[in-house]
Amino acid sequence: SAWTLELSPATSEIDFDPGQFVWLHLGTSPFAMAEHPFSISSSADQPQRIELTVKELGDFTSQVGSVPVGATAYVDGPYGQFSVDRHLAERYVFVAGGVGITPVMGMLRTLVDRGDPRPLTLVYAVADLERMTFRDEIGALASTLDLRVVPVLSEPPADWDGETAPADASLLGRVLSADDLSKAEFFICGPEPLMRLVASDLRTLGVRPKSIRYERFALV
C-alpha cells in the first residue's frame, strides 16, 4: 500500500539535501489550500528528478496510486534539517518505523551514489517482512554500503529468529556497538510512540541528546 511518484522538474533541477521534504499539490493550479508534506526518497545526487514514496493512510494518499503518467504536480521546497549533510559524523544509525523509512532511503541512496564508506546501521521496525517497504532494495544496499540492517517485527512468524518489538534499550544495546553509541549521529523517523521510546532509551544508553535527530510526520 505504498506508491512512489517520480517527478521531473519542468524547468530546472531541484537541489536538495538527502532526507529533506517538500510540499506536494496535485491539481490544475499551484494555488491551493491543501498541500501535503512528503519526504524525498530519491538520491540528492540525482537532482534531475525526485521521488516521493507515499503510503495509503488517508483520503489524499489513497488516490496517489491512480495519478496518471504526465500529470502536473506542484512542489514547494525543499525543507528540513533531517539530513546526513547537515550533521556530519564518522558513522550513522537510522531507526525507522513504517513509512518513516522514506527520508532514510533518500539518505541511503545518496550515500550509495557517493560511494560513502562510513559504517551505517538501519533498525527498521515493521509489522512483518511482507510490509517492509523497499525490502528488496534495502537488501541490495547492504551489499554496496557498509550497512547493517536489523528488522524489528511486531507480528513475527513462528519461525522468526530475529529481533521483535519493542525497539527498546535492551534491543538497542544488543544491536548497536560501543562506537555507534559514542560516535554516531542518530536519525529517527516513524510513529510518535516509537520515536519517544527510542530517543529516551538511547539517552539511557549514553547517547548525547544533541546526536539524536527526529523527523515527525505531523504539524505542530
Side-chain angles (χ1 to χ4, degrees):
S1 59
W3 301 90
T4 294
L5 293 178
E6 181 175 319
L7 308 179
S8 298
T11 54
S12 59
E13 295 179 346
I14 298 178
D15 293 324
F16 60 94
D17 292 336
Q20 288 190 301
F21 72 94
V22 296
W23 291 88
L24 172 71
H25 171 63
L26 299 170
T28 58
S29 168
F31 305 103
M33 293 298 293
E35 291 183 312
H36 304 271
F38 296 108
S39 295
I40 302 172
S41 58
S42 54
S43 170
D45 280 22
Q46 299 184 34
Q48 69 278 10
R49 64 180 175 85
I50 64 171
E51 292 182 4
L52 308 177
T53 300
V54 180
K55 190 171 182 64
E56 294 183 7
L57 296 173
D59 292 342
F60 176 79
T61 55
S62 65
Q63 300 174 25
V64 169
S66 61
V67 175
V69 173
T72 298
Y74 298 96
V75 172
D76 177 20
Y79 297 104
Q81 302 289 321
F82 192 72
S83 174
V84 292
D85 283 4
R86 303 289 179 108
H87 308 285
L88 301 181
E90 296 181 21
R91 56 179 60 219
Y92 293 103
V93 175
F94 306 98
V95 182
V99 75
I101 191 64
T102 53
V104 174
M105 283 302 297
M107 289 186 271
L108 292 177
R109 286 167 165 168
T110 303
L111 295 174
V112 166
D113 284 348
R114 295 173 180 174
D116 198 289
R118 286 174 288 185
L120 311 169
T121 298
L122 168 62
V123 179
Y124 190 179
V126 291
D128 56 53
L129 292 177
E130 293 301 318
R131 282 177 275 184
M132 180 181 286
T133 308
F134 302 115
R135 181 179 63 173
D136 292 341
E137 184 178 354
I138 288 172
L141 292 176
S143 65
T144 303
L145 295 165
D146 183 3
L147 171 65
R148 182 187 180 196
V149 180
V150 182
V152 179
L153 306 187
S154 59
E155 300 174 14
D159 59 349
W160 176 250
D161 61 357
E163 300 291 345
T164 57
D168 57 11
S170 176
L171 183 151
L172 295 170
R174 287 195 304 273
V175 303
L176 299 178
S177 69
D179 281 343
D180 287 332
L181 297 173
S182 62
K183 299 178 181 178
E185 286 285 309
F186 289 77
F187 291 86
I188 310 171
C189 188
E192 188 70 24
L194 171 73
M195 294 199 295
R196 287 199 302 267
L197 174 65
V198 170
S200 174
D201 286 350
L202 286 176
R203 291 192 293 268
T204 298
L205 293 169
V207 176
R208 298 170 300 172
K210 67 179 183 179
S211 295
I212 303 173
R213 315 291 169 185
Y214 313 86
E215 181 77 299
R216 287 185 168 87
F217 289 163
L219 297 181
V220 180

